[in-house]
Amino acid sequence: MNDSLIFATEGFGLNLNLFETNILNLAVVVFGLYKFLPNFLGSMLERRRSAILQDLKDAEDRLEDAAISLNQAKKDLASAEQKAGKIRNDCKERAEAIRLESEKRTVEEMARIKQGAASDLNLEAARVSGQLRREAARLAIEKALSSLSNSLDDKAQDKFLRQSIKNIGDI
């Protein structure tokens, strides 16, 4: 039996042999971890912490920029909607003005055409009336001359012609 086991009872005991238990190796490893690990892990963790904090700050800055851009876009959209509404109203007013102007010109053109037609009708009526008067006068003169030539002798016709020529000269 091994005398370095103290209180060895059935399967469990304390081994105090330093070379057998590797306590020295463990002590060196624990000391190395205690001495070098905080610097190594600490610097790695600090770099990682700094990178995470910088990423968070960048994300917050981008979020703030995005919020500002969103507010500006909302303002621009509201302004564009307002301008679009104004343009729409202006277009409606302009279309109504054009329609009214077109109707006014159409009415004026129709009145001018009607007046021209009435004027043409009056001119044609006056021309026909004048032509009818001339034709009636010619027929009346022919009838009068034919009835005069049958009812008047040569002496009376001569006297009538002289008197008519004299009347025409007095006019």
Side-chain angles (χ1 to χ4, degrees):
M1 244 192 149
N2 195 353
D3 55 340
S4 64
L5 281 176
I6 301 179
F7 304 114
T9 57
E10 298 187 14
F12 179 75
L14 187 57
N15 187 354
L16 297 178
N17 185 350
L18 291 179
F19 296 109
E20 222 176 83
T21 58
N22 268 336
I23 290 189
L24 287 178
N25 290 337
L26 287 174
V28 169
V29 170
V30 169
F31 178 75
L33 288 174
Y34 174 75
K35 183 74 175 163
F36 299 110
L37 192 60
N39 290 337
F40 176 71
L41 284 179
S43 65
M44 272 182 31
L45 291 174
E46 184 60 33
R47 281 193 306 268
R48 183 68 183 141
R49 182 179 157 280
S50 296
I52 290 172
L53 287 176
Q54 185 62 39
D55 289 346
L56 285 174
K57 185 177 181 324
D58 290 345
E60 287 175 352
D61 290 345
R62 286 193 307 266
L63 177 64
E64 186 177 320
D65 291 344
I68 291 170
S69 295
L70 177 63
N71 286 337
Q72 184 62 38
K74 285 180 180 177
K75 288 178 186 175
D76 292 346
L77 177 63
S79 175
E81 286 175 345
Q82 184 179 12
K83 286 179 182 178
K86 185 178 183 307
I87 289 170
R88 203 174 299 120
N89 289 339
D90 290 348
C91 287
K92 285 179 183 177
E93 290 174 5
R94 180 72 177 141
E96 183 65 22
I98 289 171
R99 185 186 65 79
L100 291 175
E101 181 66 25
S102 177
E103 287 177 1
K104 180 181 172 186
R105 277 188 268 151
T106 301
V107 167
E108 288 173 355
E109 186 66 21
M110 289 172 63
R112 187 186 64 76
I113 290 171
K114 186 177 179 181
Q115 184 179 11
S119 175
D120 290 346
L121 182 63
N122 289 341
L123 286 174
E124 186 63 23
R127 184 186 68 77
V128 168
S129 176
Q131 188 177 4
L132 287 175
R133 268 187 264 132
R134 283 190 299 276
E135 187 65 26
R138 186 184 63 77
L139 289 174
I141 290 173
E142 282 179 7
K143 188 175 183 183
L145 286 178
S146 70
S147 68
L148 279 178
S149 62
N150 293 338
S151 63
L152 296 176
D153 59 357
D154 288 334
K155 190 175 180 184
Q157 280 182 4
D158 191 34
K159 182 180 174 188
F160 178 72
L161 282 174
R162 280 190 198 133
Q163 191 177 9
S164 294
I165 290 173
K166 184 179 174 188
N167 285 343
I168 289 174
D170 288 341
I171 297 178

